[in-house]
Amino acid sequence: YVLTYLLIAEFGCAQLYSNDKHKRPRDPMPLEEPMFILGNGEMYRNQTEVKMSQIVLPCHANYCGELSAGQLLKWMDSTACLSAERHAGCSCITASVDDIHFETTIGVGQVVNITAKVNRAFTSSMEVGISVSCEDLFSDRQWKVCHAFATFVARRTEAGKVQLKQVIPRTQAEQMEYSLAAERRRMRLIHAEIINDLLSSCSSQTDYQDAVPAERTRVESVELVLPPHANHQVSTFGGQIMAWMENVATISASRLCNAHPTLRSIDMFHFRGPSHIGDRLVLKAIVNNAFKKSMEVGVCAEAYQGGEPLRHINTAFMTFEVLDNDRKPCTLPRIRPEPVDGKRRFQEAIARKKIRLDRKYIISCKQSEVPLSVPWDPSNQMYLSYNNVSALKMLAARSNWVLTSEKNKVSLYTLEENQMLCFKVETHVAVAAEQVFLLLSDLRRRKAWDHHYKYVKLITDSHEDDTIYRVVTPSVTKGGKVQDFILLASRRRPCDSGDPYLIALRSVTLPAYPPTEDYNRGEVLCAGFSIWEEENSFTKISYYNQATPGVLPYISTDIAGLSSSFYCTFASCSAFLEENKDNLASLPTSTL
């Protein structure tokens, strides 16, 4: 038996039975990719989708018998890389990973299921969506662990820089992710700008009495990159680097709390450069700041070979908690930062915490959980803008709209779902799409064609793509109060030739404009225009609105077929656009 075991380990099962064709194991059956039936009856499967299933063994677990977060990151990165390479047809490298929030831990004996697929391809980079779930084989239960979005870049070939083919979304879910990928890419590009803006208004803590010196939490470790740590491109595996970083970050967090911490989230990070076999990877970690129930650990990875200077590979920020016996977060000791650089990291950690809260409560929550009106301030304007545009994109991507009526080339659609009514008005005009976008972007001009807009005031141009207005609309009932709205208008030009122009609207709260007794304060959850360029200078305009109690009275009679006021409104809109299709001079400078 010992000899048989050694032979299997040395040569593999196939060679052991190579002399007996009846006992040779059969080749494994190829895994079937999930298939969808499209609306036209066509069978479809996503060619970029890659799945990995791993059972958690003791060698994958930490001191608590739970799957190490570093090991999970390695599996996630390799699955996503295979998906990216399937689409690109060449080698790909990890460029960045968006925020990851771990909702639950995974125990030994449970199964990790990872799915990755390319959401959208740009010139030489692509976004890969990764979802992770856990499966209990004994109870047949499955639950979500986390999801993430990673950016991969196709490596240059002998022929030069790779031009990626476009992703063609086929299902409603794919169309939604394809559309949102452009907005997520925009957020990645301005991430550093958001941090700098927050730092300018961030104040640091000054009372450090009884606080733990940050120097006590400093960790430095070195790893030699060997062939098992490299991927099939002979570069250090991105997931392996993330696992090493998670290891030193955990040690650093343990030194603050004298307990075993649990990793809760990893902030968005970028790989700054490659690492190769033979590199010495220097990993440094320190607790940047300790909040009441969580702490942020900064970790840096640098590489060198021989006597060459250190090369910056990656920097990441990880949030840890310490859980009690009831799995509740414990109160943590405060940290006393080091002078100069330590205080800078201390302040940056506060800014990143603010960003994490904005992302969690503005971006990550489901649309049905978003409050109608969200407080606006300069520190969260980027995330409100993201949420504004993303909500409109998600509404526009729905495929189950029902045509309610049609009149004079204006079509009215409705969508009833989860006790919520949405409507869409669609028409075509013989005006260039960009001109339509410019004319509709400034809400002050809307009262020229929409009788529901009685008065419009520009409150602030918060950003080149975002403007806040106060809109006054007439009373719905005779003798009732007029309504006013505080609206954030977010504008987006197409990211690619096949994308629409977008003008997204939602309500925000401004302290300088509180509700008053003279007006009923109305709320808009999601509304706006999607403007598509078509052939022969024709443009398709789609107006969407997720009806709220303040908006529904204006459209309910049209939906019921008792009125045609919306048809008249959009006929006026078409006439307004036709009259001003060559009139750029009349547009406000800020809009241009």
Side-chain angles (χ1 to χ4, degrees), residues 182-236:
E183 194 65 17
R184 286 190 289 262
R185 181 172 184 254
R186 179 178 180 273
M187 293 301 299
R188 294 179 198 114
L189 296 176
I190 62 175
H191 179 66
E193 177 186 335
I194 297 171
I195 289 284
N196 292 333
D197 289 344
L198 281 174
L199 284 176
S200 63
S201 60
C202 183
S203 59
S204 62
Q205 177 181 333
T206 56
D207 181 14
Y208 303 126
Q209 188 176 0
D210 300 327
V212 177
E215 181 62 29
R216 173 180 161 183
T217 69
R218 185 180 295 277
V219 178
E220 182 171 328
S221 180
V222 64
E223 298 283 353
L224 176 61
V225 180
L226 300 173
H229 304 141
N231 56 22
H232 51 293
Q233 306 155 24
V234 201
S235 297
T236 311

Side-chain angles (χ1 to χ4, degrees), residues 225-293:
V225 180
L226 300 173
H229 304 141
N231 56 22
H232 51 293
Q233 306 155 24
V234 201
S235 297
T236 311
F237 187 40
Q240 179 63 68
I241 295 175
M242 288 188 276
W244 282 334
M245 294 175 75
E246 185 269 338
N247 177 61
V248 294
T250 301
I251 297 172
S252 177
S254 300
R255 288 180 176 175
L256 174 68
C257 58
N258 297 324
H260 295 305
T262 298
L263 180 62
R264 279 301 179 212
S265 66
I266 304 176
D267 283 13
M268 179 190 302
F269 61 85
H270 301 264
F271 283 92
R272 306 297 181 181
S275 170
H276 307 284
I277 294 175
D279 276 351
R280 279 70 171 170
L281 212 64
V282 180
L283 303 142
K284 302 174 184 178
I286 191 169
V287 175
N288 291 332
N289 203 332
F291 308 103
K292 191 171 182 64
K293 300 288 186 180

Side-chain angles (χ1 to χ4, degrees), residues 395-446:
L395 187 58
R398 306 304 295 268
S399 59
N400 47 342
W401 292 97
V402 177
L403 179 62
T404 302
S405 56
E406 193 170 17
K407 181 179 179 181
N408 298 332
K409 298 182 180 179
V410 178
S411 303
L412 176 62
Y413 298 82
T414 57
L415 172 64
E416 294 183 69
E417 198 169 77
N418 297 328
Q419 298 181 338
M420 188 168 289
L421 174 66
C422 306
F423 64 89
K424 174 175 73 170
V425 183
E426 200 167 84
T427 188
H428 291 77
V429 293
V431 182
E434 184 176 14
Q435 180 70 354
V436 172
F437 173 70
L438 293 173
L439 289 166
L440 296 181
S441 288
D442 188 355
L443 296 192
R444 290 173 295 181
R445 305 197 65 173
R446 184 161 168 174

Side-chain angles (χ1 to χ4, degrees), residues 128-412:
V128 180
I130 312 164
S131 61
V132 181
S133 63
C134 181
E135 177 184 357
D136 189 310
L137 296 174
F138 299 99
S139 63
D140 200 29
R141 291 190 307 113
Q142 293 196 35
W143 58 92
K144 177 184 173 183
V145 175
C146 67
H147 74 274
F149 299 100
T151 301
F152 283 81
V153 176
R155 297 185 64 138
R156 295 178 67 95
T157 63
E158 295 179 357
K161 191 174 182 179
V162 175
Q163 178 73 39
L164 292 174
K165 61 185 178 182
Q166 291 297 310
V167 171
I168 302 176
R170 304 291 298 276
T171 66
Q172 179 177 306
E174 289 177 4
Q175 289 169 355
M176 190 177 300
E177 291 298 343
Y178 177 90
S179 183
L180 293 177
E183 194 65 17
R184 286 190 289 262
R185 181 172 184 254
R186 179 178 180 273
M187 293 301 299
R188 294 179 198 114
L189 296 176
I190 62 175
H191 179 66
E193 177 186 335
I194 297 171
I195 289 284
N196 292 333
D197 289 344
L198 281 174
L199 284 176
S200 63
S201 60
C202 183
S203 59
S204 62
Q205 177 181 333
T206 56
D207 181 14
Y208 303 126
Q209 188 176 0
D210 300 327
V212 177
E215 181 62 29
R216 173 180 161 183
T217 69
R218 185 180 295 277
V219 178
E220 182 171 328
S221 180
V222 64
E223 298 283 353
L224 176 61
V225 180
L226 300 173
H229 304 141
N231 56 22
H232 51 293
Q233 306 155 24
V234 201
S235 297
T236 311
F237 187 40
Q240 179 63 68
I241 295 175
M242 288 188 276
W244 282 334
M245 294 175 75
E246 185 269 338
N247 177 61
V248 294
T250 301
I251 297 172
S252 177
S254 300
R255 288 180 176 175
L256 174 68
C257 58
N258 297 324
H260 295 305
T262 298
L263 180 62
R264 279 301 179 212
S265 66
I266 304 176
D267 283 13
M268 179 190 302
F269 61 85
H270 301 264
F271 283 92
R272 306 297 181 181
S275 170
H276 307 284
I277 294 175
D279 276 351
R280 279 70 171 170
L281 212 64
V282 180
L283 303 142
K284 302 174 184 178
I286 191 169
V287 175
N288 291 332
N289 203 332
F291 308 103
K292 191 171 182 64
K293 300 288 186 180
S294 66
M295 72 186 95
E296 182 195 274
V297 179
V299 56
C300 172
E302 299 174 312
Y304 71 94
Q305 284 198 15
E308 69 178 20
L310 290 171
R311 307 188 314 273
H312 184 195
I313 303 299
N314 192 7
T315 298
F317 303 98
M318 305 184 182
T319 302
F320 289 86
E321 293 177 345
V322 176
L323 305 179
D324 60 19
N325 294 332
D326 297 324
R327 309 296 291 176
K328 301 293 183 182
C330 300
T331 301
L332 300 175
R334 291 178 299 151
I335 197 82
R336 182 170 70 246
E338 300 171 304
V340 189
D341 281 348
K343 289 187 177 180
R344 174 185 56 80
R345 293 193 299 267
F346 187 93
Q347 283 191 306
E348 290 176 348
I350 296 172
R352 281 186 290 269
K353 183 183 180 184
K354 173 70 167 62
I355 288 176
R356 284 191 291 271
L357 290 173
D358 286 341
R359 286 176 174 160
K360 182 176 181 180
Y361 293 106
I362 296 178
I363 294 179
S364 301
C365 54
K366 297 178 182 178
Q367 197 60 28
S368 59
E369 299 170 353
V370 178
L372 291 183
S373 184
V374 179
W376 179 92
D377 65 70
S379 66
N380 70 0
Q381 65 180 30
M382 295 299 181
Y383 299 104
L384 279 175
S385 177
Y386 173 96
N387 177 267
N388 194 15
V389 174
S390 298
L392 179 61
K393 287 185 173 184
M394 292 171 67
L395 187 58
R398 306 304 295 268
S399 59
N400 47 342
W401 292 97
V402 177
L403 179 62
T404 302
S405 56
E406 193 170 17
K407 181 179 179 181
N408 298 332
K409 298 182 180 179
V410 178
S411 303
L412 176 62

